[in-house]
Amino acid sequence: MNMNRLRIMVLDDEAIVCKRLRPALEKQGYQVDTFTLSADAMEQIQHVEYDIIITDLKMKGIDGMQLLTEAKRRSPKTELIVITGFATMDTAKESFHKGVFDFIAKPFKLSEIQEAVSRAETKIRGR
Amino acid sequence: MWPCFKEIANRLFSRKRDLIAFPQVFEQFQALLQNHQRAMEVIADLGEKSGGDYIFDRKYLFDVVHELQDLMLKIVKGLNLIASNRYYELYGVLDRIFLPMEAELRGRLVLTDAPYVIPFRDAPLDSPELTGGKASTLAEIVHKLLLPVPDGFVITSRAYHRFLEYNDLEERIHLLLEEWASGSAELSKVAGQIRYSILAGIIPQDLAREIMKYAQKTGAHWAVRSSGYGEDGELSFAGLHESVMNVPPAQVPEAYKKVLAGLYSPEALTYRLRMGMIGEETAMSVLCQEMIYSRASGVIQTVKLDESDSDCLAIYSSYGLGRTVVEGRTSLDRFVVEKHPPHTIKSQDIGRKDSLVQACPGGGEEEIPVDETMKCRASISEDTINTLARWALSLERYFKRPLEIEWAVDEAETCWILQARRLLVSDHLDRGDEDICESCSLYPILIKDKGVVIHTGVGSGRVYTVRENEDMDDFPEGAVLVSRYTAPWLAAVVPKASAIIAERGSAAGHLATIAREFRVPSLVSVDNATEILSEGMEITLDTHHRLVYSGQVTELLRYELLQSMVFEESAEFRLLRRLLKRIAPLHLIDPQSPDFTPQGCTSVHDLIRFVHEKAIQELMDVPSFLHRFRGAKVWTLASDVPIGLKIIDLGGGVAPEANGDRVSVEDIESLPLKALWTGISLREAWSTEPVAMDFKGLMASLTRNWDGAGGGVMSSGFNLAVITKNYLNLHLRLGYHFNFIDARMHDEPHNNHIYFRFVGGVTDLTRRSRRARVLAQILSSYHFNAVTKGDLVVARLMHLPKKEMELRLQVLGALIGFTRQLDIQLRSDQDIPRFVEDFFNRHAHIAQPLM
């Protein structure tokens, strides 16, 4: 077993996204935690440092932008991937401005997210 | 939202019934085609999403339905503009189709309209909220896998709500459960009170009537079973608290109450609390199955619960009704069978079966001793074991989960499936220690990163390559279907296939729809698949990584079975499938059918088809056509084929250098007209017998009929092409044959279509119909969707790449010549294949790409 697995957080208030991403990423050899409530995810990043965070933007309560700002503040090395059904140039720009690694519009193919995560991994391992 | 559209439409159309000029009609028609195209793309897109390769959420479904609604409004509006508002009622059709979808998107289910009782055969497959998990699963087994399940009916969750409401029970049950959940009341007391209240309840007349209507239909006795609905589509407490067996018709209402009460047993309540389902609104349905008086019965577990023999399934069996096995009343027979064909029995333990449960003639069950000589014999034969193993595997392949299946064998040795549910597997089996990436890396990879996923999943089996003339009945259960094409006729073997790999095809094709319906992992557009994958070779397809492994990757198959989420079962996918049912099916296939009306449109696709057909008919309406063309620039085509075609160019169809009134073939820049004319000009196209006359003479005699009528094209009107660079709309009359073609030919395949209509002739209808069949057969082999009605042929084709469209337009050109006097020569039905053959022989170069 690979002991050096990357740790990934998935946050999306639509449970289906979490349910589908988890096995897909686990099969690629990552350790995955999923959250449907942004408050829980926010709580979690206070204790756990993730290598990669995949988050939706528009959610009830704390939105994705707040979460990723906080994540980056606590752990600048964490790579962030935004997935959103409201993809506009503005949100994309703002995301990249915040240091987001990749921005993927929903709906997306499994392979798209798998590739984005692989690229983030390459970047992390290359450090 | 629709009434306001109607108003706008009203204002737009006012009372103007004058014909608008052709360039405008044409503009509208082009816009309509574009919207039509976009709508078809959206539908294809939705279909593609149902294949599991995408991750989407509810918002996406909202967005797509609204986009489709918008497009359809434009399409209907477009037709009304072209047809001077004669299709006003289509706005009502839009409402009829889209309002229920709005309801689907808003709520979980509109129970108020649902029936109390549904015959099992008609049970909807994607509404377990209504029929419960058990009935829904069994309905899928009947409809998708065609395996025998006893017939019956479902008393729906709406009936349950009606029962509670009538007896004021909803609130009472809720309060009792809250007391228990908060710890202020004991489980046994709460369970007892709820059950008592239900048993004491009165079934309202309207509901009782419905139940009795179905219960008395056949005179059979019934097995009355609960069909609860849980998040995973099943409640897994396999017990008999919730089944009442051998119920005479008159006692079904009482048994119904017993089953409902059974759902509040202490065990059931504990289970639901553990699953976090206590607070939720319950949806209890009850399934009534015709009683099977089983000689033997039992349970199959498709994954063995101990860790030995991980590639085997286990069959438990005993005499009589299933209670013996499920309750473990006596020792059982246990057969361990290999999952891999030919399903060898690896081991068997024959238990000493002292007693059996049987049905009493007047209803109910009794336990009796087993005949001494039978006690230690195997309760089922090897044949039965083999049948059960095969069925269990096809169920497991479809449901993609380890299953526990209850079965029975009756006195006639017929096997039945009574129910199937997810087999709960303990965590240590579930979370295998092996690293799945490492295990897979031990298998050689045959194909990597190729093709388009049309249905997600992992499937394994032996390669079976299907070619056009192969006997499809020979397709082995569980084989991997490998094919060059994704022709519609392959659909017949899809339910048997464990995976599909094809060299051609797209995510939008017919095969994709079928593969999704039967949940078969499929990869298409894989170059050289038929060469790489040889007959009989054992392979494993994993669409998640677009890989084909050599061999059966058992670790991966097991991982998928035990760990991956079954996306097909999620609420979003079920919603998508329910929406798709209102969107994608095409019922209006035949424009000549009496149902080809606005009322006949029951899906978005129907409506699209209807509008398209009617819009084309508007363009075929010759008098208005001519009327619309006053003042337009008309070219005459100068060609060896003296058809005297008149051409109206609406942009880019004729070379800018051309001048005067005549245009040569070389100056035609309209791609579809060019391609068609290449076919028409083929010399061999025009002779069906050794050529006695010279070409021009032949043509002259052929075209005399209308040419002789004189007066130029505008008065005869029929031989007219309206073109642009990428478009052709052609009316062509040769002798008594009338051809109509509407075609688009772009770089982007999604924009491409050919619509071909052929009718007429001089002989009797029988011969003309034969000709229609010859045409349809030839067109079908070029993947046209061709239908015939009498002497009429309507053929359609969409979305092929430019090059392939070109070939098909050439074929149409050649066919137009070939069919000229074909009807005269078709003296009997036996002539049909000969002439089809003749066409291909004559046009070897056109037929080549089909080989």
Side-chain angles (χ1 to χ4, degrees), chain B residues 197-356:
Chain B
S197 307
I198 291 176
L199 291 173
I202 292 168
I203 298 181
Q205 283 259 313
D206 53 349
L207 174 53
R209 238 190 342 259
E210 275 295 290
I211 294 176
M212 288 312 291
K213 189 170 101 189
Y214 290 97
Q216 288 173 326
K217 224 169 204 168
T218 61
H221 284 198
W222 301 95
V224 183
R225 307 170 184 274
S226 83
S227 179
Y229 169 60
E231 184 50 42
D232 277 325
E234 73 253 346
L235 287 170
S236 298
F237 38 80
L240 292 173
H241 324 284
E242 79 272 28
S243 288
V244 187
M245 304 301 280
N246 197 26
V247 180
Q251 289 167 28
V252 170
E254 276 308 304
Y256 172 59
K257 284 201 294 186
K258 258 191 218 167
V259 169
L260 291 185
L263 289 162
Y264 291 93
S265 70
E267 297 84 348
L269 284 178
T270 310
Y271 177 84
R272 287 211 291 281
L273 183 73
R274 195 154 46 89
M275 301 305 286
M277 292 166 61
I278 282 291
E280 283 184 26
E281 193 193 4
T282 40
M284 301 288 183
S285 312
V286 170
L287 169 66
C288 301
Q289 285 179 312
E290 268 181 31
M291 202 50 207
I292 299 294
Y293 299 98
S294 48
R295 187 192 64 70
S297 57
V299 164
I300 310 167
Q301 293 176 338
T302 63
V303 167
K304 279 189 66 251
L305 294 179
D306 52 51
E307 281 174 79
S308 61
D309 301 329
S310 64
D311 52 348
C312 292
L313 54 80
I315 300 176
Y316 297 88
S317 165
S318 190
Y319 295 122
L321 298 182
R323 197 178 283 282
T324 332
V325 176
V326 184
E327 288 185 354
R329 288 194 188 189
T330 180
S331 50
L332 306 169
D333 297 343
R334 175 172 175 271
F335 306 93
V336 175
V337 184
E338 285 181 2
K339 288 176 120 173
H340 209 258
H343 312 302
T344 313
I345 302 171
K346 202 160 175 187
S347 68
Q348 56 179 41
D349 300 314
I350 305 302
R352 185 186 160 84
K353 300 166 286 291
D354 290 321
S355 64
L356 64 85

Side-chain angles (χ1 to χ4, degrees), chain B residues 793-805:
Chain B
V793 182
V794 177
R796 287 152 47 90
L797 184 114
M798 320 273 283
H799 302 172
L800 285 184
K802 200 167 163 180
K803 197 79 202 145
E804 307 226 359
M805 297 302 277

Side-chain angles (χ1 to χ4, degrees), chain B residues 744-780:
Chain B
R744 284 223 294 179
M745 201 171 141
H746 272 264
D747 288 334
E748 180 50 57
H750 269 126
N751 291 323
N752 293 344
H753 77 256
I754 300 175
Y755 178 101
F756 172 63
R757 221 177 126 92
F758 179 94
V759 74
V762 284
T763 55
D764 61 295
L765 186 62
T766 320
R767 288 192 189 191
R768 297 203 313 264
S769 313
R770 281 186 199 124
R771 184 196 50 206
R773 275 149 62 198
V774 170
L775 277 180
Q777 278 187 25
I778 294 171
L779 289 167
S780 297

Side-chain angles (χ1 to χ4, degrees), chain A residues 1-126:
Chain A
M1 185 139 25
N2 182 0
M3 298 311 287
N4 190 18
R5 294 184 177 207
L6 291 190
R7 223 173 151 172
I8 301 183
M9 167 188 272
V10 177
L11 166 61
D12 196 306
D13 57 355
E14 296 254 17
I16 178 79
V17 178
C18 297
K19 279 193 198 164
R20 299 222 48 213
L21 280 185
R22 179 203 283 277
L25 294 172
E26 278 183 353
K27 240 169 96 178
Q28 266 186 295
Y30 303 110
Q31 189 186 338
V32 184
D33 296 324
T34 62
F35 296 86
T36 50
L37 293 173
S38 48
D40 292 353
M42 196 61 134
E43 171 67 22
Q44 177 83 354
I45 59 170
Q46 310 300 321
H47 315 295
V48 180
E49 196 170 302
Y50 286 93
D51 297 298
I52 299 170
I53 295 180
I54 300 171
T55 177
D56 190 7
L57 283 184
K58 209 171 164 181
M59 287 173 290
K60 273 191 205 126
I62 304 166
D63 74 13
M65 214 55 102
Q66 277 171 276
L67 181 113
L68 52 89
T69 311
E70 174 67 10
K72 218 45 186 178
R73 190 184 68 77
R74 294 195 70 91
S75 154
K77 279 185 179 169
T78 300
E79 293 302 340
L80 308 167
I81 297 172
V82 164
I83 45 174
T84 178
F86 298 86
T88 64
M89 274 313 280
D90 286 346
T91 48
K93 258 191 235 161
E94 192 185 345
S95 305
F96 286 118
H97 186 69
K98 297 239 152 127
V100 160
F101 177 77
D102 207 348
F103 184 94
I104 297 173
K106 278 197 263 185
F108 51 82
K109 276 192 179 190
L110 270 177
S111 57
E112 283 178 65
I113 197 103
Q114 285 168 337
E115 277 159 27
V117 170
S118 296
R119 278 188 285 110
E121 179 178 15
T122 311
K123 184 176 168 193
I124 293 165
R125 303 261 187 223

Side-chain angles (χ1 to χ4, degrees), chain B residues 523-534:
Chain B
L523 192 65
V524 299
S525 215
V526 182
D527 294 338
N528 303 324
T530 54
E531 283 158 45
I532 302 169
L533 308 172
S534 49

Side-chain angles (χ1 to χ4, degrees), chain B residues 21-45:
Chain B
F22 191 81
Q24 276 162 284
V25 169
F26 185 77
E27 225 168 78
Q28 285 303 328
F29 186 66
Q30 290 291 301
L32 191 145
L33 282 181
Q34 258 163 30
N35 288 325
H36 172 277
Q37 206 40 60
R38 177 65 200 146
M40 291 308 291
E41 278 168 29
V42 171
I43 294 176
D45 219 46

